[in-house]
Amino acid sequence: MSKQPGPALFKRTVGLTPHAYLVHIRLNAACHFLRRGHLLADSALAAGFCDQAALNKHFRRCYGITPLQFAQAARAG
C-alpha cells in the first residue's frame, strides 16, 4: 500500500494530480480577471500565482498563448 494514498486516489478520481488541478483552477480564475480588464500582475496575484512570470509560464503551457494575447483577444472580441 502507498504511504500517501491521498494524491493517488485524487488522480484516479479527478484525472489530474492535486498540483495540476490547482494550477487549472488558478488559470480559470486568471482568465476570469483578464476578461474583465484587470492588469496582468493583479490577475496573477488574485488567481493565486506567486507572480506574473508564474502565470505566464503556466498559461503558455496550457493554452499555447500568453495571458497578454488572451486579454487582447478578450477585449477585441
Side-chain angles (χ1 to χ4, degrees):
M1 179 179 266
S2 173
K3 293 180 182 180
Q4 295 181 341
L9 177 61
F10 188 91
K11 185 171 181 177
R12 280 196 308 271
T13 305
V14 178
L16 297 169
T17 64
H19 181 260
Y21 181 78
L22 179 60
V23 168
H24 180 72
I25 295 297
R26 288 176 176 169
L27 287 171
N28 283 338
C31 287
H32 170 83
F33 293 118
L34 292 170
R35 276 190 209 100
R36 281 152 185 74
H38 292 261
L39 298 174
L40 294 175
D42 294 340
S43 297
L45 294 176
F49 290 99
C50 62
D51 57 19
Q52 185 177 338
L55 171 63
N56 284 338
K57 179 180 86 171
H58 289 290
F59 207 96
R60 260 187 278 120
R61 186 178 295 161
C62 184
Y63 300 124
I65 61 172
T66 66
L68 179 60
Q69 290 170 322
F70 177 86
Q72 290 170 338
R75 280 192 297 260

